[in-house]
Amino acid sequence: MNNIKLNGDVYCPSEEIKKFAIVKNWDDLNEFVSKDYQKFWENEAKELHWFNSWDKVLDDSNKPFFKWFTGAQCNIAYNCLDVHTQTSRRNKLALMWEGEKGEFRSLSYFALHRETCKFANVLKSLGVKKGDRVTIYMGRIPELAIAMLACARIGAIHSVVYGGFTVEALHERLEDSHSKVLIVSDGAYQRGKIVPLKSIVDEALQRAASVESVLVVRRTGEPINMESGRDMWYHELMALPIANNQNSIEIMDSEDPLFILYTSGTTGKPKAILHTHGGYMVGTYTTLKYVFDIHEEDRYWCAADPGWITGHSYIVYGPLLNGTTSFMYEGAPTYPYPNRWWQMIEKYGINILYTAPTAIRGLMRFGEAWPNRHDLSSLRLLGSVGEPINPEAWKWYHRVIGKEKCPIMDTWWQTETGMFMITPMPCVPLKPGSGTKPFPGIQMDILDENGKTVKPNEEGKLVIKTPWPAMIRTIYNNPDRYVTQYWSKFPGVYFTGDSAKKDEDGYYWIIGRVDDVIKVSGYRLGTAEVESALVSHSAVAEAAAIGLPHDIKGNAIHTFVILRAGVNKNEKLIEELRQHVAHELGPIAKPESITFVDSLPKTRSGKIMRRVLKARALGEDPKDLSTLEE
Ligand code: WTA
C-alpha cells in the first residue's frame, strides 16, 4: 500500500511504528501469501502445538462445509496455557482484571492454568463430557475466562450468553443448545448497580428442562436463591479434593467443536454459530499477532464483552495463544467518572486499546479534559470494531487518545468469520473510516445484484471468496440454514450481509447491514427478536422494528406497534412496552421509540417491509414499491 499514490485523507505510520512492527511491509507479505494462502496458514499453524499433524491444510471436498487441518489433533486450551507454563512465560501475567469497585486481580499463566485444570475437574465430576454443551452467563470477571478454558480443555462446547441479555434470550439459547450445565455469577456490577443474573437464571430455568446443574460464582455477595440439588457454589466445588490441578487434556480433532455463540440473523430465532478447535486457533492467533503487533512485553486491552465474539477471539483465545497479558475491566467506561478508562490505561501501562466506535463517541461527549488529565503515553496502538467508525470519532480517538502517534486498527469481521477479515496492520497508511484492505490471503469483493463486481466507489454487497481457517463451520443443529443464509445469495461465495464500497485505491468502506440486523452500540440484534418480544405482551397484536441512526449508539431501535382491539393508546403503555422488551431481552434491546399504528406496510405475501418504514422515518424515497400490498 504505497502511500504516495493514495487518494483522500491519509495517515501514514511513523518510522518508529514501522521499525517496531512485526510486519514491516504489507505489500510484500500480501504478495507472498497470495501466491499460496494455504502454505501461509500452514506455516502459522506450525508455530502452535499439535498432538498430531494434519493430512490436509484445507479440505474443500464438501463445499461450503470447509474443513481445516484435517487429520490433526490439538486442543486450543493447551496452546493457551500448558504451552506457556513450560516456558519462561510461566510467571508472566496472563490476565489482569479490575472490578468496577476498584479491586484488582491478576493471574499468571501458571495460576490461570491451575484454576482452569481445577475447574475442568469439577465439570468432569459433574458428568460433563466431550461434546456436551455448557452455557456461561456472567459479568466480566476472570471466572468467565476460566470457565471457557475449562470447557475447551475437556472438549465440552461452551455457549456464552452475554450478561446484558435477560430471561427470554437466555431461555431460548439454553433450549436450543440443550445445555447440561449453566455457570453463572450471583450478579454483575454495572454502573454501581447490581444486575441480578442468578434471579434471571431462576426465571429462565422454570422453562428450560435440559439444565441439571447450576454453578454459581460469588461476585456481589447479595442474597440469592440456591435451589438444593441443582445449584452449587463455585468456590465450594473448587475447594473439594476432586478439584485438584491435575487434569489431563482432552485430545481433540482439529474439526471438533470448540464453542457455539448465538447471534442475530435475518428473521427468525438467533442462530448458533459453530467454531472448531484447530482452524479458529490458527486464525485468531495469527491475526492478533500481526494486526495488534503483539510483542512479549505488551499489555493488551480489548474492552469488549467476552459474551460476544470479540471477547472470545480477542480477550480470551487470541491473546492467550500469543502469550500476551490481557487486561479485563468489569464495569462501565464512565463509572464513577468519565476518566475511568484513561485512569486504568495510565495505572496499568496499557499498550494496546481495542474498543468500539460507540464507546469512543460516548467518551468524546465528555470532552478532552478527562483523558488529558492522564498519562496515556504507554499506548502504541488503538483498535476499533463493531460498526463503521465515523471520521470525526476516528480523528478524536487518534488525536486525543493516541496523541497522533498510535495507528488505529479498524477491524471488520463477524461472529461468523471468527477473526479479522478487513483490517490494516501498523505499517499500513490509514484513511479514517476505512478498514483498509482484506487480511493477506483473504479474497473479498463487492457485487451487484447480478453477482458482478461493482465499479470503484459504487455500493454493492460484500462477499468473501476464499475460505479462511477461523470460518464458521455450520449453524449448530441447522446445516441447511448455514447454506441458505450464507452461501445461496451468490453461488460459491460467502455473503456477509453487509454493503460496502471500494475506492480507487482498493480500500474498503463498510456502509452497514442490508438484512434485518440492527447494530446497537456495536451489539447485534435482530428485528425479529425485538418484534417477538413486543408481541409477547398482551396488548400487542403486531410489531415492526427498524434501526435509525443515533449519535452515540450508531443505530437505535424504533418500533411500530398495532395494538389489540380495545386497548387504549397512551404514554403509560409506551413505557410499559419498552420495559417489557428490556425485561425479555435485556436493556440493550429497549426500543428508543414506540409508535402506535393502525397498519404496517407489507408485501403481498405478508412480509413486513421494514425498508418502507425506514425510508418514511428518514424522509427518504422508499423507491421500489411494486411488492407493497396496498
Ligand atoms: C459490523 C463483530 C464496520 C458489520 C466483530 C458486520 C463493522 C457485523 C466492523 C458483525 C467495522 C463489525 N466496520 N462494520 N470495523 N466490524 N462490523 O457478528 O456490519 O457482532 O457484519 O461481530 O458488525 O457483527 P458481529
Side-chain angles (χ1 to χ4, degrees):
M1 297 191 207
N2 190 337
N3 46 333
I4 299 163
K5 292 192 223 111
L6 295 177
N7 298 289
D9 201 4
V10 179
Y11 288 67
C12 293
S14 65
E15 283 311 312
E16 205 183 331
I17 287 281
K18 280 202 272 191
K19 222 189 275 165
F20 192 69
I22 300 172
V23 176
K24 302 207 178 341
N25 187 316
W26 187 92
D27 292 292
D28 288 354
L29 177 71
N30 190 49
E31 200 188 313
F32 163 76
V33 179
S34 302
K35 278 190 200 128
D36 187 349
Y37 72 88
Q38 291 187 39
K39 189 83 210 148
F40 168 71
W41 291 114
E42 180 168 31
N43 287 343
E44 294 298 325
K46 285 182 185 160
E47 294 184 5
L48 296 160
H49 176 275
W50 302 78
F51 300 109
N52 225 324
S53 191
W54 43 89
D55 307 320
K56 251 185 149 173
V57 174
L58 171 66
D59 176 355
D60 59 0
S61 58
N62 183 25
K63 291 175 193 161
F65 297 92
F66 295 93
K67 291 180 177 164
W68 283 83
F69 307 104
T70 48
Q73 290 181 310
C74 62
N75 187 310
I76 194 168
Y78 190 88
N79 278 288
C80 287
L81 300 170
D82 302 55
V83 160
H84 306 307
T85 59
Q86 294 156 24
T87 69
S88 57
R89 283 189 186 136
R90 180 183 170 89
N91 297 323
K92 177 175 174 176
L93 295 186
L95 269 187
M96 298 200 314
W97 174 85
E98 186 169 301
E100 199 182 71
K101 294 196 299 180
E103 318 94 303
F104 176 73
R105 278 172 68 191
S106 65
L107 289 128
S108 64
Y109 275 93
F110 174 79
L112 187 58
H113 176 259
R114 179 192 65 224
E115 295 303 301
T116 300
C117 287
K118 289 179 65 174
F119 193 54
N121 284 329
V122 167
L123 290 175
K124 269 181 145 175
S125 73
L126 292 167
V128 179
K129 292 186 295 296
K130 180 176 171 181
D132 286 345
R133 275 79 56 215
V134 173
T135 294
I136 304 175
Y137 181 60
M138 277 196 228
R140 280 190 292 265
I141 51 175
E143 283 76 11
L144 175 46
I146 294 168
M148 289 166 73
L149 291 160
C151 287
R153 189 167 186 93
I154 62 171
I157 304 171
H158 60 69
S159 166
V160 181
V161 177
Y162 170 54
F165 277 135
T166 50
V167 183
E168 195 44 45
L170 175 63
H171 171 251
E172 207 165 70
R173 286 156 175 79
L174 283 168
E175 286 277 280
D176 189 74
S177 63
H178 279 272
S179 288
K180 203 167 173 172
V181 171
L182 171 60
I183 309 165
V184 61
S185 48
D186 55 357
Y189 286 104
Q190 182 69 9
R191 245 174 257 285
K193 296 209 187 82
I194 290 173
V195 186
L197 296 180
K198 177 61 169 61
S199 44
I200 294 169
V201 162
D202 290 339
E203 201 178 330
L205 284 187
Q206 286 169 8
R207 288 174 289 148
S210 64
V211 176
E212 294 167 10
S213 318
V214 178
L215 314 186
V216 189
V217 178
R218 182 174 277 159
R219 167 65 188 126
T220 67
E222 289 290 298
I224 53 162
N225 159 56
M226 291 291 279
E227 194 164 310
S228 91
R230 187 194 71 185
D231 302 352
M232 285 161 271
W233 284 107
Y234 174 93
H235 62 269
E236 287 178 3
L237 293 166
M238 290 289 268
L240 296 174
I242 175 73
N244 61 54
N245 58 8
Q246 303 298 312
N247 179 273
S248 51
I249 196 130
E250 188 77 32
I251 309 238
M252 306 295 284
D253 284 340
S254 173
E255 282 293 312
D256 277 336
L258 167 64
F259 66 82
I260 51 177
L261 184 57
Y262 286 85
T263 191
S264 305
T266 11
T267 59
K269 293 185 170 180
K271 44 200 173 143
I273 308 302
L274 185 128
H275 285 288
T276 55
H277 272 254
Y280 177 81
M281 170 171 89
V282 175
T284 53
Y285 165 73
T286 309
T287 47
L288 185 70
K289 178 177 63 172
Y290 290 138
V291 173
F292 282 113
D293 203 40
I294 301 297
H295 286 65
E296 198 56 55
E297 63 279 17
D298 279 337
R299 286 185 165 185
Y300 161 91
W301 179 17
C302 167
D305 192 282
W308 301 87
I309 192 68
T310 311
H312 282 58
S313 300
Y314 299 113
I315 296 179
V316 180
Y317 290 113
L320 297 176
L321 289 167
N322 277 282
T324 194
T325 301
S326 187
F327 175 66
M328 198 195 267
Y329 165 58
E330 180 183 39
T334 50
Y335 189 83
Y337 301 108
N339 65 330
R340 184 64 186 263
W341 275 20
W342 321 129
Q343 199 176 37
M344 292 188 296
I345 288 170
E346 176 174 14
K347 183 166 165 193
Y348 299 116
I350 303 292
N351 308 106
I352 302 159
L353 172 67
Y354 183 33
T355 183
T358 185
I360 298 160
R361 288 191 297 260
L363 289 161
M364 232 171 111
R365 235 177 0 153
F366 295 99
E368 294 176 27
W370 290 103
N372 286 346
R373 278 167 52 184
H374 296 277
D375 176 6
L376 304 179
S377 60
S378 59
L379 288 172
R380 183 177 86 248
L381 290 174
L382 300 173
S384 175
V385 61
E387 53 174 325
I389 180 164
N390 46 313
E392 197 198 346
W394 194 101
K395 287 178 187 169
W396 188 87
Y397 195 27
H398 186 257
R399 180 176 59 80
V400 180
I401 307 307
K403 311 294 177 204
E404 295 181 333
K405 69 175 178 59
C406 305
I408 299 174
M409 302 298 107
D410 179 0
T411 60
W412 178 95
W413 58 296
Q414 306 179 300
T415 309
E416 292 86 344
T417 70
M419 62 180 223
F420 306 148
M421 299 300 280
I422 300 174
T423 174
M425 292 182 194
C427 64
V428 167
L430 305 171
K431 300 187 189 187
S434 166
T436 73
K437 297 185 184 182
F439 191 85
I442 309 289
Q443 273 183 42
M444 300 190 60
D445 205 352
I446 300 171
L447 307 179
D448 65 16
E449 279 304 319
N450 304 317
K452 290 229 163 58
T453 302
V454 298
K455 294 198 191 81
N457 295 314
E458 262 176 33
E459 184 176 342
K461 309 276 188 299
L462 184 68
V463 300
I464 309 172
K465 292 162 84 174
T466 41
W468 63 102
M471 68 194 296
I472 170 177
R473 294 304 193 270
T474 188
I475 293 176
Y476 183 70
N477 279 342
N478 204 342
D480 293 345
R481 191 163 169 203
Y482 166 67
V483 178
T484 51
Q485 181 101 36
Y486 303 107
W487 300 92
S488 302
K489 184 160 178 67
F490 303 105
V493 298
Y494 171 95
F495 175 47
T496 61
D498 279 17
S499 70
K501 287 180 191 174
K502 194 158 51 159
D503 69 16
E504 49 285 287
D505 298 319
Y507 275 46
Y508 284 70
W509 300 78
I510 306 295
I511 296 161
R513 301 289 307 191
V514 288
D515 53 8
D516 294 325
V517 170
I518 310 177
K519 283 251 139 182
V520 183
S521 300
Y523 294 138
R524 187 163 157 181
L525 289 165
T527 51
E529 284 170 275
V530 179
E531 290 161 5
S532 53
L534 279 168
V535 173
S536 74
H537 189 283
S538 60
V540 177
E542 250 189 293
I546 57 169
L548 294 177
H550 184 281
D551 280 354
I552 307 280
K553 299 178 186 172
N555 290 285
I557 300 172
H558 294 261
T559 60
F560 300 85
V561 165
I562 305 179
L563 293 173
R564 283 177 192 266
V567 177
N568 281 334
K569 301 173 186 166
N570 57 49
E571 281 300 316
K572 215 176 119 231
L573 182 59
I574 291 183
E575 198 41 39
E576 186 179 319
L577 292 176
R578 292 180 71 226
Q579 291 300 343
H580 176 74
V581 176
H583 176 76
E584 291 290 298
L585 287 177
I588 44 161
K590 194 180 196 176
E592 196 79 4
S593 76
I594 293 185
T595 309
F596 295 130
V597 292
D598 296 325
S599 67
L600 289 167
K602 286 187 186 163
T603 61
R604 285 185 199 101
S605 58
K607 263 186 86 180
I608 297 171
M609 293 181 80
R610 296 186 188 81
R611 70 175 172 85
V612 174
L613 288 168
K614 197 167 170 173
R616 200 186 291 158
L618 293 171
E620 289 170 358
D621 174 11
K623 300 203 182 102
D624 181 17
L625 287 177
S626 56
T627 55
L628 190 68
E629 186 189 31
E630 54 188 74

